[in-house]
Amino acid sequence: MFKTASIFRIADDFVLPPLEALEEVLQAARFMPCGATQAESSGWVAPRGNKSTVLVESVGGQVIVKLCSERRPLPASAVKAAVEERIEKYKQETGRERVGSKIKKEFKEEAILDLLPRAFTKRSATTLWIDPVHKFLVVDSGSLTGADKVVSHLIEALSEVPGSRPGIQVKPVQTTMAAATAMAHWLSSREAPVGFTVDRDCELKMPDDQKSTVRYSRHTLEIDEVAQHIASGKVPTQLAMTWNDRVSFMLTDAGQVKKLKLLDVVLDGVQDKGKDDDGFDTDAAIVTGELSALIPDLLEALGGELSGDASALPTEAAAAGLAAV
């Protein structure tokens, strides 16, 4: 269900609205494919899949929604060629050698409208998990900018629920110690934080213009060479870790958790105990249960969460400094 985790802190005064009311708002903003001349379209889809029409799922008090986006990317070269063709035709018809910026802008808009119906569409969907008790919002996105865009859609939807407080706000989770600093310490000291182990994959990069990079894959990291790279100035940008022998993941220098994988000890017995018809409830309960325990431990390993009022930073402003975990 979640392969990555960008984690946000919801304001302490947030109160989850009635799910029926939220469902009604999301239904009004249900996903519709791009029109012929539409560059992008976003809307809500059923987390359970196409066989369901329900847009808000609640499992064990945890709320899950899913945003779908579709866009028609146009190659810049194709747009440029179409604009140049229009400019050349304009010069021939008018006899003018110079074309004003206003006319060029109009030609570009015309070219885009002409090309859009012929462009292939690309579709993606992002799952969001709201923990209304611990006030966390988790986005399954590997892009920090993309995560913020998805969160903005959710904030907009929540604000439209009748009776909701205006200006619902969240902020990226921030920790006392930067992830890169913590990873460098763990690798240099060869001592992982309590409850975690350092695995066998790592990336180290020099923070200069050349970005010299060293990668270790399926390789022991408890060697002098790794510590020497760090001592020479290279910064860990990715580090494979395992939490309590239950969940493996890749921690990044941006604080994101990627390549999440539940280990066998978590999954053993699930089939024997039986699943719901589509497996969604079971999967959701397991994933949210494990991440609900992993997230506080990871925050603690990074020196603890920085105190501060989530309401001090609106979601729209988070794009400039988005960080997860």
Side-chain angles (χ1 to χ4, degrees), residues 99-116:
V99 180
S101 57
K102 183 178 179 180
I103 295 177
K104 288 182 180 179
K105 182 179 179 182
E106 292 176 356
F107 286 163
K108 184 175 181 180
E109 292 173 350
E110 291 175 3
I112 290 174
L113 287 176
D114 182 52
L115 292 171
L116 277 174

Side-chain angles (χ1 to χ4, degrees), residues 5-16:
S6 292
I7 306 169
F8 296 78
R9 168 65 71 185
I10 305 174
D12 289 338
D13 59 357
F14 170 73
V15 177
L16 186 70

